Amino acid sequence: MTKIRTHPIDIYGNQFNRTGFVLVIMVGTFLTIINQTLLVTALPKIMDDLDISAVNAQWLITAFMLISGIMIPTSAFLLNTINNKKLFMVAMFSFAIGTVICAISTTYNMLLIGRIIQAIGSGLMIPLMQTLMFLVYPVERRGEAMGLVGVVIAFAPAIAPTLSGWIVDYFNWRYLFYIILPITMVNILLACFYMRNVINLNKPKIDVLSIMLSSLGLGLLLYGISVAGNIGWQNKITWLSCVAGIIFISLFSHRQSKLTQPFLELRVFKSKTFTLSTIIVAIIFMTMIGFEILLPIYTQTLKNLSALQSGLILLPGAIVLGIISPISGKLFDKYGVKKISMIGMFILAVATFPFFFLTEDTATWWIVCLYSLRMLGMGFVMMPLATAGINALSNSLISHGSAITNTVRQVFASLGSAVMVGIMSAAVTKYSNSYGGTTMTPLLNGLNKAFMSGFILITIAFTLCLFIASPSKEAK
């Protein structure tokens, strides 16, 4: 009988503690991801304190998403150039420095700079975690590994608004950063003992033009999508930015096909499983972000609930997702992706459908149940599909696959909020012209139309799931 190795080994052949390694990488990524949505419910207090407009305040979130999105593709190159322990430290120290600047900031510009420095670390940490988790678990346990990744990627941004709402209601908004900073420093200290180098470096030649094309393309595309929710898709700034971004991304893609050592290896899209799973997960993530934005609008505007109460409505769903993600990962290891994803998509579709029939009198408990059921379905779909996609790649392509998956997810997350809020706004404007003796307010009609768009997206993702085949569990 072959002896099963229970401990992973680093690039030097030394065994190390997987539990400590995983804990350090998960806590570090959780801290960086939670900052994506941490300021959502704190913006009004920040606006009052720093005397800034809503547009400027929104840039504290938009800039974070932009810089983080730009950094993600660069991570594939850095993971093959710098040893992963050093890269982890760089990312965490960047995040820590940004957090200090945010905590002590007395002006808007200072706070914005702090957010940008935070985002550099965040953009590196997301694909870093996914790549490292794949490499320290054997193929037959990668579902379990990605279940843990799912807890971080989905749970952190979902719980952040509730946490933020509670803190800003009782303390100064700067405590959002004061609380995170000591946890970050403790995690850096633990990384000194538990982090190990597990990636064999091939040190590809740096291609400055690829970096420029990637940064310009993603930056312009994400900017265009981000501002669309405020100024509309018909605005010249929106579509010119998006078109320019797509052109630069196309030039970047063309260049990668000509390089002997691509900055970002796009050959991963030759895998049908990887391509389909990436698209499906991105669509689902798109609806998740859209719903997280629309539901607070509904509960605060039409049901007159506070920001904290609104956040608490989302909390049970976030907890359900956090619990089910590791469970679905183990089920994936046992049953494969096909059965798990189809069950999850069915639950997700059933739970999404009632949202476009909401009224002002819809019971809050019913909303909580539906949203929690949506997150249950999401937990059965996102990480198993993401695992199947990465499993379809060779080990040498995992870092590139992780970078591409997270880049697409970042773009679709921004697209989700812009599209669904845009549909709501357009429906509100159209319905306002005929609003008179009807019982439905324009805002409620707009929300229903936006939720309907979410159901259509889920239906598309459901259909694509039919073409996913359970890959063999051979080591790549």
Side-chain angles (χ1 to χ4, degrees):
M1 182 179 291
T2 305
K3 185 179 180 179
I4 299 175
R5 177 167 52 85
T6 57
H7 294 286
I9 58 173
D10 61 20
I11 58 175
Y12 309 109
N14 301 317
Q15 291 189 350
F16 62 91
N17 186 310
R18 181 191 286 116
T19 302
F21 182 98
V22 169
L23 181 63
V24 165
I25 192 72
M26 284 185 63
V27 171
T29 311
F30 182 89
L31 292 171
T32 60
I33 292 181
I34 202 172
N35 270 267
Q36 290 182 351
T37 52
L38 190 64
L39 297 189
V40 170
T41 48
L43 288 183
K45 297 288 180 71
I46 295 174
M47 288 164 59
D48 290 340
D49 191 27
L50 300 181
D51 192 24
I52 57 175
S53 66
V55 174
N56 285 338
Q58 189 62 39
W59 267 102
L60 296 173
I61 297 174
T62 303
F64 188 97
M65 299 291 284
L66 278 174
I67 301 301
S68 181
I70 290 171
M71 290 301 299
I72 289 174
T74 309
S75 66
F77 169 79
L78 295 175
L79 277 166
N80 287 288
T81 307
I82 305 172
N83 71 64
N84 58 260
K85 182 173 183 178
K86 185 181 293 183
L87 188 59
F88 177 86
M89 291 298 190
V90 169
M92 289 306 296
F93 271 113
S94 172
F95 178 76
I97 291 169
T99 302
V100 170
I101 294 173
C102 289
I104 64 174
S105 60
T106 54
T107 65
Y108 167 73
N109 289 335
M110 189 175 178
L111 180 58
L112 183 61
I113 290 171
R115 290 287 288 170
I116 290 172
I117 296 174
Q118 274 189 323
I120 294 173
S122 177
L124 292 174
M125 282 298 300
I126 300 170
L128 178 62
M129 173 185 69
Q130 192 164 310
T131 302
L132 294 180
M133 292 288 280
F134 260 81
L135 293 177
V136 299
Y137 278 88
V139 175
E140 65 273 10
R141 291 184 62 190
R142 283 181 175 174
E144 176 187 345
M146 286 299 282
L148 296 174
V149 170
V151 173
V152 175
I153 290 179
F155 183 62
I159 197 176
T162 305
L163 177 65
S164 175
W166 176 75
I167 290 174
V168 298
D169 273 355
Y170 294 98
F171 306 97
N172 186 282
W173 58 266
R174 290 178 178 82
Y175 277 86
L176 294 171
F177 304 106
Y178 287 139
I179 292 172
I180 287 175
L181 183 59
I183 303 174
T184 303
M185 299 311 297
V186 169
N187 198 58
I188 290 173
L189 180 62
L190 290 175
C192 295
F193 298 97
Y194 290 111
M195 182 59 60
R196 294 291 185 273
N197 292 316
V198 296
I199 300 176
N200 289 303
L201 306 179
N202 55 27
K203 297 191 176 181
K205 182 181 178 182
I206 188 168
D207 184 56
V208 177
L209 183 56
S210 289
I211 295 175
M212 291 175 61
L213 290 173
S214 170
S215 299
L216 283 171
L218 274 174
L220 287 168
L221 180 60
L222 286 170
Y223 174 76
I225 293 172
S226 297
V227 299
N230 294 325
I231 62 179
W233 287 98
Q234 74 283 356
N235 190 286
K236 287 183 179 180
I237 295 176
T238 299
W239 62 264
L240 281 175
S241 180
C242 288
V243 169
I246 292 171
I247 290 173
F248 280 117
I249 290 174
S250 300
L251 292 172
F252 169 79
S253 301
H254 178 72
R255 182 164 180 78
Q256 302 318 293
S257 65
K258 303 297 181 183
L259 295 174
T260 53
Q261 284 188 307
F263 178 74
L264 189 62
E265 185 56 82
L266 301 181
R267 281 185 302 149
V268 294
F269 286 115
K270 289 183 178 180
S271 167
K272 178 184 174 183
T273 300
F274 175 82
T275 302
L276 277 176
S277 65
T278 298
I279 293 172
I280 295 168
V281 171
I283 292 174
I284 294 171
F285 203 73
M286 179 181 181
T287 66
M288 186 182 90
I289 298 299
F291 270 64
E292 286 178 358
I293 292 174
L294 293 175
L295 276 176
I297 294 175
Y298 168 77
T299 54
Q300 292 179 45
T301 306
L302 296 179
K303 298 186 78 67
N304 297 315
L305 299 179
S306 68
L308 178 57
Q309 290 172 321
S310 180
L312 288 172
I313 288 175
L314 304 181
L315 184 59
I319 294 173
V320 167
L321 183 60
I323 293 172
I324 202 63
S325 288
I327 295 174
S328 68
K330 291 185 177 181
L331 291 174
F332 165 84
D333 289 332
K334 186 174 182 179
Y335 298 108
V337 68
K338 191 76 172 183
K339 292 179 181 178
I340 303 301
S341 63
M342 293 306 294
I343 291 172
M345 287 304 305
F346 179 76
I347 295 172
L348 189 53
V350 168
T352 301
F353 184 76
F355 273 98
F356 54 87
F357 296 107
L358 293 182
T359 69
E360 293 181 45
D361 299 321
T362 301
T364 301
W365 66 266
W366 177 237
I367 297 170
V368 172
C369 290
L370 285 177
Y371 183 74
S372 297
L373 191 61
R374 279 196 89 250
M375 298 303 261
L376 176 67
M378 207 167 287
F380 276 114
V381 176
M382 285 207 301
M383 286 305 107
L385 279 172
T387 307
I390 299 294
N391 263 354
L393 305 177
S394 63
N395 281 344
S396 62
L397 292 177
I398 286 178
S399 61
H400 294 273
S402 297
I404 289 172
T405 298
N406 286 287
T407 300
V408 173
R409 187 185 294 140
Q410 188 86 344
V411 171
F412 272 66
S414 299
L415 193 60
S417 59
V419 168
M420 295 182 77
V421 171
I423 290 172
M424 180 195 73
S425 300
V428 167
T429 301
K430 181 179 180 181
Y431 198 74
S432 295
N433 297 329
S434 58
Y435 178 62
T438 59
T439 56
M440 184 181 290
T441 65
L443 178 59
L444 183 58
N445 178 70
L447 284 166
N448 286 344
K449 292 291 191 297
F451 286 131
M452 184 184 295
S453 70
F455 179 75
I456 292 171
L457 288 170
I458 292 298
T459 303
I460 293 171
F462 201 160
T463 305
L464 291 175
C465 266
L466 298 174
F467 299 95
I468 289 282
S470 293
S472 64
K473 294 185 179 181
E474 296 177 354
K476 298 291 176 182

